[in-house]
Amino acid sequence: MALDSESFDLLLPTLQRFIRERLIPAENHLEEHDDVPLDIVQDMKDMGLFGLTVPEEFGGIGLSVSQEVLVNYELGRTAPAFRSVFGTNIGIGSQGILMDGTPEQKAAYLPRVASGELIMSFALTEPDVGTDAASLKTRAELDGDHYVLSGTKRYITNAPRAGAFTLMARTGGPGASGVSAFIVPADLPGIKLGKPDKKMGQRGTKTCDVILENVRVPAANIIGGVPGQGFKTAMKVLDRGRLNISAVSCGLASRILDEALTYARDRKQFGKPIGEFQLIQAMLADSQAELLAGWSLVKDVAARFDLKPPHVSDPEISMQVSCAKLFSTEMVGRVADRGVQIHGGAGYINEYPVERFYRDARLLRLYEGTTQVQQIIIGRELLRAV
């Protein structure tokens, strides 16, 4: 699945112009009001951004992974909240249906996802379950032709906006084999949302708890129609998601570096621009070298990802994805720190973009698998392959 190169060559400059002319100028408004303006959301729908990864047969654009990381690099150059509005639709919210769903499930949900009519969210994490996802506690008890779901999901991105959730619940015994993936409409009786989370950064992104109290979900809503496959679905979805978080990290690093370069050229001390001082140049040089290394890694892994069958897990590719996420998200943290340092005291003031980007970048090392999880995946695969 890939968009033809001629069409993609038209899409990317259009997106770059939209980011430059609409999103970047709206960053201060977003920071102040903690929300994405509705007119911008509508513009995103009109551009087809809610269906970037949905195949054309279901009304989407159908980008390959290599094309998707190029798009996410550009989106990384502005506030993360803009991408977050549709990020779960093109990523972890809908990819489970696309990868493992039945033909009926794909036909019922993917066209509405692609148009932006339906926002999908991904509900895996729980109050006591994060990294150890195979130990989730939300229960799904079979009752006739329905499952009854009870439990709490935590830090669920786009939950306040979601019309449906790709939700993991335990239908069987302990461990990964007891987990199933459900499509859960958000308006079912028994679903409640917690208070919106107040986060360190990434203002405008919406996360909260999703509380399920005896929610009746049709058995036909198990993704793929087979219980016990949910953990495998989640891991396949996260592989693609982690690669795109890596691309976003590189895009954000490039924006921070641009801001640092502008400041280094304009700010004068001791009668000359601070960019002429070698210690400032060293910080800029380190950031540029790490950015190029991270972005090269992401593009290489994306190309390898596209070569494997889309519905098949490949431990070697998963390990490479983890390498990309580990390096790129740690890299952007270092670039953000240097960006603040180059700005001096101004870098600690909200008036300058590097202050908020410093806070925004911190989350990238945590969600969709922490740095430490990536290290474990890489280490285990290296030992297994010996």
Side-chain angles (χ1 to χ4, degrees):
M1 181 180 71
L3 184 64
D4 67 273
S5 58
E6 183 177 345
S7 297
F8 186 73
D9 288 343
L10 293 174
L11 170 66
L12 200 60
T14 301
L15 178 64
Q16 290 167 333
R17 185 168 59 253
F18 179 66
I19 292 168
R20 184 174 62 251
E21 296 178 0
R22 292 284 282 126
L23 300 189
I24 290 177
E27 287 173 354
N28 289 336
H29 180 279
L30 174 68
E31 182 73 12
E32 181 180 352
H33 295 89
D34 196 20
D35 204 4
V36 177
L38 292 178
D39 61 328
I40 288 181
V41 175
Q42 186 58 52
D43 287 344
M44 292 173 174
K45 291 180 180 179
D46 294 342
M47 290 179 66
L49 298 185
F50 283 78
L52 287 171
T53 60
V54 176
E56 292 182 76
E57 64 184 289
F58 298 111
I61 294 177
L63 298 185
S64 68
V65 177
S66 294
Q67 292 170 335
E68 190 183 0
V69 296
L70 292 172
V71 165
N72 277 306
Y73 179 93
E74 299 299 334
L75 290 165
R77 288 182 53 81
T78 186
F82 294 123
R83 176 185 176 274
S84 180
V85 170
F86 59 87
T88 53
N89 262 35
I90 64 174
I92 55 178
S94 68
Q95 284 295 309
I97 299 173
L98 181 59
M99 292 178 179
D100 290 341
T102 64
E104 294 77 15
Q105 290 168 345
K106 293 177 183 180
Y109 289 96
L110 293 181
R112 291 193 291 146
V113 166
S115 69
E117 174 192 347
L118 176 66
I119 292 181
M120 294 285 297
S121 191
F122 182 77
L124 175 62
T125 301
E126 298 180 359
D128 296 322
V129 177
T131 299
D132 186 13
S135 297
L136 63 85
K137 299 177 181 178
T138 296
R139 293 292 310 178
E141 302 287 350
L142 186 60
D143 181 19
D145 59 356
H146 283 68
Y147 280 89
V148 180
L149 276 62
S150 295
T152 298
K153 298 296 183 178
R154 178 145 293 173
Y155 310 137
I156 305 306
T157 301
N158 268 344
R161 301 180 175 119
F165 300 95
T166 294
L167 188 143
M168 306 297 157
R170 188 165 300 284
T171 53
S177 62
V179 177
S180 298
F182 289 85
I183 303 170
V184 181
D187 59 357
L188 290 180
I191 294 180
K192 299 178 182 178
L193 299 182
K195 296 186 299 183
D197 298 318
K198 295 181 179 180
K199 301 184 289 297
M200 177 192 298
Q202 301 213 11
R203 289 182 62 78
T205 61
K206 302 299 181 182
T207 64
C208 70
D209 285 3
V210 178
I211 303 156
L212 303 102
E213 297 177 351
N214 298 317
V215 178
R216 294 183 63 83
V217 179
N221 282 30
I222 288 184
I223 292 178
V226 180
Q229 301 299 307
F231 186 81
K232 293 179 181 178
T233 295
M235 293 304 104
K236 285 189 285 186
V237 167
L238 284 173
D239 265 356
R240 185 163 181 160
R242 286 166 178 168
L243 197 51
N244 281 293
I245 293 301
S246 305
V248 168
S249 299
C250 292
L252 181 55
S254 74
R255 172 68 186 282
I256 295 168
L257 182 55
D258 283 352
E259 296 289 339
L261 282 165
T262 298
Y263 192 83
R265 291 189 185 104
D266 294 343
R267 173 66 167 167
K268 291 183 171 60
Q269 289 289 284
F270 303 101
K272 58 183 179 181
I274 63 171
E276 294 186 19
F277 294 105
Q278 288 183 340
L279 291 179
I280 297 295
Q281 293 173 6
M283 287 189 281
L284 294 169
D286 286 349
S287 294
Q288 174 71 355
E290 291 192 59
L291 167 58
L292 289 178
W295 184 222
S296 296
L297 175 61
V298 171
K299 289 187 290 184
D300 179 74
V301 176
R304 295 170 186 266
F305 198 103
D306 279 331
L307 292 175
K308 77 174 184 64
H311 308 299
V312 176
S313 296
D314 183 331
E316 173 71 15
I317 294 295
S318 295
M319 183 269 286
Q320 293 174 7
V321 167
S322 289
C323 288
K325 184 176 189 294
L326 184 156
F327 186 85
S328 298
T329 57
E330 292 288 336
M331 174 273 294
V332 73
R334 294 189 293 271
V335 171
D337 187 76
R338 295 185 196 112
V340 170
Q341 195 72 12
I342 289 168
H343 279 69
Y348 205 67
I349 304 299
N350 185 254
E351 179 182 347
Y352 290 86
V354 293
E355 183 273 338
R356 60 175 177 262
F357 288 145
Y358 180 85
R359 290 183 283 109
D360 292 343
R362 188 60 185 86
L363 183 58
L364 298 171
R365 293 154 60 190
L366 300 175
Y367 62 9
E368 298 197 26
T370 64
T371 289
Q372 287 65 43
V373 167
Q374 310 314 316
Q375 290 171 324
I376 290 170
I377 292 170
I378 296 164
R380 285 179 176 172
E381 178 58 19
L382 290 173
L383 290 169
R384 186 196 69 82
V386 171

